[in-house]
Amino acid sequence: MHEGSPHFRADAGNASRSETTSAASVAVGQKTRAVEKQKPQKLFNLSRRTNSLLGIQIVASGAYVPENIVTNEQLEAKYGFDPGWIEQRTGIRARRHVEPGQATSHLCIEAARRAIRSARIDPQEIDLVIVGTFTPDFNCPSTACLVQDQLGLDAPAVDMQAACSGFMYALVTAAQYVATGNSKLALVIGGDTNSRIVNPQDQRIGPLFGDGAGAVLLSRGEPHQGLICYQLGADGSGGSMLEMPVGGTRNPITPEDIACGRQFLQMDGRGVFKWAVRALTDTIDLMLQKTGMSPHDVSLYLIHQANMRIINYAMEQLGIPPQKVHNNLHKYGNTSAASIPLALDEAFQQGRINRGDTLLLSGFGAGLTWGTALFRW
């Protein structure tokens, strides 16, 4: 083939166009990234709407985490992660991971059984099951239905998906049924198996999450018990900050997605950190303002265990002493919807929660969603 050949000229033209297209794509990509950097940081948009729902009580709690402990040192040996960096940036020293064959429903079932034993009630008294999770065993049936079946309950069962706020959404929803008399005894569970949805080799996300479940039983209580003040909120405009971009009906998963790891949880770490601090400080401050309480009037703070830097910064901003905040993040990592009920059960077992205490519960996460409440025990 010589230079005058039409084939040569065509190939040369294609190559030239390809180079031009490639250069244009690079330029567009650079321009897009430059524009993204110029975008203002996502801020928390505080709603002033709050509600109250008294006359309910938590009669028992239970929690379960897998036996498999994964330390920072083990991650260093397996993936080369810097254990000091993980603890310094997050406060996490270890987390629990499920074994092969275990799933979210298994964790939820065991947590529920422990709550039932603690309450010393007949499981047949339970007439409602709500599970907060964003890592269900299957798209369908729901994890709640699997729990209902394994526990042999005569009760409707449904999942609620609000990621790390899932337990708060489930708790408030179940409370409505109990307060109106449409449920006599509700089983509320928060459970997630995060080790199955994060890339274990990604040091930015993999070491942050652990697996676990926590459960409570709700019934009618005294007029002064229950949700003194609460707020559930959502801001879908920030959804892309914490997302699983493929696997749903919009973007069914493909082999190419799997090869690129797009089936795993993606997070804008810096953006989420700043948003979470604002969400936590603003909603806690709102609860206190609405009730006329001071930070010292709260007996114990049970905050979603996402990152110790988030919790410490928010507590410092609000003037809340560290000894009033129950933390177990160092042992379990971020367990998403399980985070608050795990902390609640642990604090109760340690004698840190007593009748008449006022608790502050706050969850925040993907969606973006949040749920904060003052709860009188």
Side-chain angles (χ1 to χ4, degrees):
M1 183 180 293
H2 56 79
E3 190 174 346
S5 164
H7 294 287
F8 181 87
R9 287 194 296 272
D11 291 345
N14 289 337
S16 177
R17 285 192 295 275
S18 177
E19 290 172 1
T20 301
T21 302
S22 177
S25 298
V26 170
V28 170
Q30 291 173 340
K31 183 177 180 181
T32 300
R33 286 190 291 273
V35 170
E36 288 176 346
K37 288 180 180 179
Q38 294 171 4
K39 287 182 180 179
Q41 187 65 55
K42 175 71 182 174
L43 297 177
F44 177 67
N45 299 315
L46 179 66
S47 168
R48 302 297 300 183
R49 293 178 180 173
T50 60
N51 290 285
S52 176
L53 190 63
L54 296 171
I56 61 168
Q57 65 173 322
I58 293 175
V59 296
S61 64
Y64 178 73
V65 291
E67 296 180 4
N68 180 27
I69 301 173
V70 181
T71 65
N72 291 348
E73 289 69 28
Q74 287 173 298
L75 294 180
E76 179 185 29
K78 191 169 185 178
Y79 301 116
F81 294 168
D82 179 356
W85 181 90
I86 296 171
E87 185 172 358
Q88 179 185 9
R89 296 293 294 251
T90 68
I92 300 169
R93 295 198 291 269
R95 71 286 297 148
R96 302 297 182 95
H97 285 176
V98 291
E99 299 284 0
Q102 278 188 312
T104 299
S105 68
H106 299 110
L107 309 184
C108 292
I109 290 164
E110 183 56 34
R113 284 175 173 154
R114 294 183 181 192
I116 291 168
R117 285 199 297 269
S118 178
R120 298 178 180 176
I121 54 98
D122 181 349
Q124 292 308 309
E125 295 178 40
I126 297 171
D127 55 11
L128 177 66
V129 180
I130 302 181
V131 175
T133 185
F134 80 137
T135 58
D137 289 31
F138 310 102
N139 285 333
C140 66
S142 70
T143 299
C145 282
L146 300 177
V147 172
Q148 175 268 330
D149 175 58
Q150 287 299 306
L151 294 178
L153 306 179
D154 177 12
V158 66
D159 286 356
M160 299 203 75
Q161 207 280 60
C164 300
S165 309
F167 176 76
M168 294 304 297
Y169 270 67
L171 179 70
V172 169
T173 300
Q176 315 298 320
Y177 282 85
V178 172
T180 56
N182 287 292
S183 170
K184 297 290 193 301
L185 187 63
L187 173 61
V188 183
I189 306 173
D192 276 306
T193 308
N194 296 310
S195 63
R196 297 276 168 78
I197 64 165
V198 297
N199 183 348
Q201 301 182 55
D202 185 347
Q203 181 166 322
R204 298 168 303 169
I205 298 180
L208 307 183
F209 293 93
D211 306 330
V216 298
L217 288 165
L218 279 184
S219 75
R220 292 295 291 269
E222 298 296 326
H224 65 278
Q225 289 182 293
L227 294 158
I228 304 169
C229 186
Y230 72 89
Q231 181 184 77
L232 297 181
D235 183 1
S237 68
S240 62
M241 292 171 64
L242 248 173
E243 65 175 357
M244 296 177 67
V246 302
T249 56
R250 177 174 295 191
N251 297 307
I253 198 164
T254 67
E256 291 75 21
D257 290 325
I258 294 175
C260 295
R262 286 192 288 267
Q263 76 275 26
F264 294 123
L265 184 68
Q266 312 290 317
M267 179 171 67
D268 171 6
R270 181 173 298 179
V272 169
F273 182 94
K274 292 182 178 180
W275 176 85
V277 169
R278 282 286 300 274
L280 190 54
T281 54
D282 287 3
T283 58
I284 291 177
D285 189 53
L286 179 66
M287 296 297 106
L288 297 175
Q289 285 182 29
K290 290 275 190 169
T291 56
M293 299 175 69
S294 78
H296 299 282
D297 292 326
V298 177
S299 308
L300 190 65
Y301 292 81
L302 299 168
I303 308 299
H304 168 48
Q305 303 288 290
N307 185 309
M308 279 309 303
R309 291 168 63 222
I310 292 174
I311 296 172
N312 289 341
Y313 187 82
M315 297 301 101
E316 183 180 342
Q317 291 286 102
L318 293 164
I320 297 169
Q323 60 269 26
K324 283 208 166 193
V325 185
H326 187 87
N327 295 310
N328 56 18
L329 179 71
H330 61 288
K331 296 188 294 185
Y332 303 130
N334 183 341
T335 55
S336 298
S339 171
I340 292 174
L342 274 176
L344 187 152
D345 182 67
E346 185 175 76
F348 182 78
Q349 297 300 331
Q350 293 175 3
R352 300 193 71 184
I353 300 175
N354 299 287
R355 184 69 176 264
D357 283 354
T358 298
L359 312 179
L360 189 292
L361 316 176
S362 185
F364 47 88
L368 297 167
T369 61
W370 64 91
T372 301
L374 282 167
F375 191 98
R376 183 169 290 127
W377 195 260

